[in-house]
């Protein structure tokens, strides 16, 4: 029983990290219908830049803030100069963002070096408690708490604020929203920046969680994020949260019990869901 609880907690923590990346993809695709394959690169940039600030200042909190800032800044630059011209062309979106992913990965190697970087947990989070055979690692609980707070914050924004109302209306009919006098391009920019900031936050939180980072983590977790968005339903924030938890927990159990199929289980899960629910768990069919 203790093993099951430990694996579940580990899976929820991993799912929380995946959710931070997938939530941005969900927002961006749901409103803008942009397939941003470079989204995972923001995860990697957040990890590397945040860790660099953490190393220089000794403050994990400042590292988190720095990661969010670099993610938002890169999001602003990418949306204004690269994504905007391909809004209406899906094939161009795929080509441009795939190219961006490769370029941004190589830029990480140029600025931070090609080797893996080891990351230490902050001392005040490098502890654990043993309760009835269940190991509660403080940093994993911290990651879970951040995931919950981000989810609740997004739900509040989408359901209780004017921006959220515009976003939800834009998902249904952006032409009508624009006809009512809303500057939909500015809303697109805000949503893109928010999504990129969350991706960078996820990368920074991932760094101490794994203990080591490398330039390709953006590709690895970017694929996971796309799987989560597809499973949850394109444009569904709640669906992405549920799918991220499902992928995280299932991955933890399979890695422990059947490691030989751990890499394939997420693809199999996606195919299984799409066979019975082509629109995803909570997608609009």
């Amino acid at each position: 029983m203790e093993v099951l609880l430990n694996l579940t907690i580990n899976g929820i923590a991993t799912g929380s990290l995946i959710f931070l990346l997938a939530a941005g993809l969900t927002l961006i695709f749901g409103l803008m219908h942009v397939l941003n394959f470079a989204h995972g690169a923001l995860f990697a940039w957040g990890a590397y830049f945040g860790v660099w600030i953490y190393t220089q200042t000794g403050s994990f909190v400042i590292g988190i803030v720095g990661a969010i800032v670099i993610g938002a800044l890169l999001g602003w630059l990418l949306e204004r100069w690269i994504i905007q011209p391909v809004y209406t062309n899906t094939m161009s979106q795929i080509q441009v963002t795939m190219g961006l992913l490769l370029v941004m990965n190589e830029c990480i190697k140029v600025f931070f070096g090609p080797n893996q970087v080891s990351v230490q947990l902050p001392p005040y989070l490098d502890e654990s408690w043993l309760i009835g055979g269940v190991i509660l690692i403080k940093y994993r609980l911290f990651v879970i708490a951040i995931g919950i707070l981000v989810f609740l914050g997004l739900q509040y924004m989408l359901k209780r604020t004017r921006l959220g109302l515009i976003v939800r209306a834009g998902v249904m009919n952006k032409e009508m929203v624009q006809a009512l006098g809303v500057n939909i391009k500015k809303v697109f920019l805000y949503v893109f920046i928010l999504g990129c900031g969350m991706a960078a936050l996820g990368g920074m939180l991932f760094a101490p969680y794994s203990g080591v980072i490398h330039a390709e983590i953006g590709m690895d977790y970017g694929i996971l994020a796309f799987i989560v968005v597809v499973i949850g339903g394109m444009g569904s924030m709640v669906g992405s949260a549920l799918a991220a938890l499902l992928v995280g927990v299932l991955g933890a159990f399979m890695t422990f019990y059947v490691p030989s199929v751990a890499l394939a289980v997420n693809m199999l899960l996606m195919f299984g869901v799409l066979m019975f629910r082509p629109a995803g768990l909570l997608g609009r069919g």
Side-chain angles (χ1 to χ4, degrees):
M1 186 62 182
E2 290 84 1
V3 173
L4 296 179
L5 289 173
N6 284 323
L7 289 174
T8 300
I9 293 171
N10 294 347
I12 292 173
T14 302
S16 298
L17 292 172
I18 299 171
F19 169 72
L20 292 174
L21 185 57
L25 273 178
T26 298
L27 278 174
I28 290 169
F29 183 84
L31 177 64
M32 303 163 67
H33 301 292
V34 171
L35 289 169
N36 181 19
F37 286 95
H39 199 70
L42 277 302
F43 185 86
W45 269 90
Y48 271 87
F49 196 79
V51 166
W52 179 77
I53 293 178
Y54 173 32
T55 303
Q56 297 299 312
T57 64
S59 171
F60 185 63
V61 174
I62 294 177
I64 289 176
V65 173
I68 296 172
V69 169
I70 192 65
L73 178 60
L74 286 172
W76 177 74
L77 291 172
L78 295 179
E79 199 277 342
R80 292 297 299 270
W81 301 105
I82 298 176
I83 303 298
Q84 267 195 26
V86 297
Y87 271 154
T88 58
N89 192 321
T90 302
M91 185 55 66
S92 294
Q93 291 172 15
I94 295 172
Q95 293 171 339
V96 167
T97 56
M98 282 295 292
L100 266 177
L101 173 62
L102 298 175
V103 170
M104 293 177 74
N105 278 357
E106 291 305 310
C107 285
I108 286 176
K109 296 176 184 178
V110 170
F111 288 107
F112 299 102
N115 299 323
Q116 293 184 340
V117 176
S118 297
V119 186
Q120 299 295 321
L121 284 168
Y124 49 86
L125 292 175
D126 190 13
E127 299 175 3
S128 61
W129 301 287
L130 181 62
I131 302 176
V134 178
I135 301 173
L136 299 176
I137 299 174
K138 186 180 286 189
Y139 187 74
R140 287 176 179 168
L141 297 179
F142 171 73
V143 168
I144 292 171
I146 293 294
I148 292 172
L149 288 174
V150 169
F151 173 75
L152 293 176
L154 287 172
Q155 287 297 99
Y156 180 83
M157 183 204 79
L158 290 171
K159 296 183 181 298
R160 301 287 184 179
T161 67
R162 183 174 181 271
L163 176 61
L165 176 64
I166 293 171
V167 169
R168 286 188 289 121
V171 169
M172 296 179 183
N173 192 331
K174 63 183 178 183
E175 289 78 14
M176 180 61 72
V177 172
Q178 194 161 8
L180 292 173
V182 175
N183 187 340
I184 201 70
K185 287 186 177 181
K186 186 174 289 187
V187 175
F188 280 3
L189 177 61
Y190 292 156
V191 168
F192 200 87
I193 288 174
L194 177 61
C196 292
M198 285 191 297
L201 169 62
M204 177 53 187
L205 294 178
F206 169 81
Y209 183 81
S210 68
V212 64
I213 54 176
H214 52 87
E216 282 71 32
I217 60 171
M219 290 186 180
D220 297 340
Y221 272 76
I223 293 171
L224 268 182
F226 271 101
I227 290 173
V228 163
V229 171
V230 171
I231 292 173
M234 301 297 254
S236 172
M237 188 62 62
V238 177
S240 288
L242 291 175
L245 291 177
L246 183 60
V247 166
V249 172
L250 184 60
F253 274 84
M254 296 304 289
T255 300
F256 184 81
Y257 287 110
V258 196
S260 59
V261 299
L263 293 176
V265 69
N266 293 318
M267 295 298 292
L268 294 173
L269 176 63
M270 181 178 69
F271 291 144
V273 169
L274 293 181
M275 282 182 64
F276 299 98
R277 285 280 300 174
L281 293 176
L282 297 179
R284 294 180 300 275

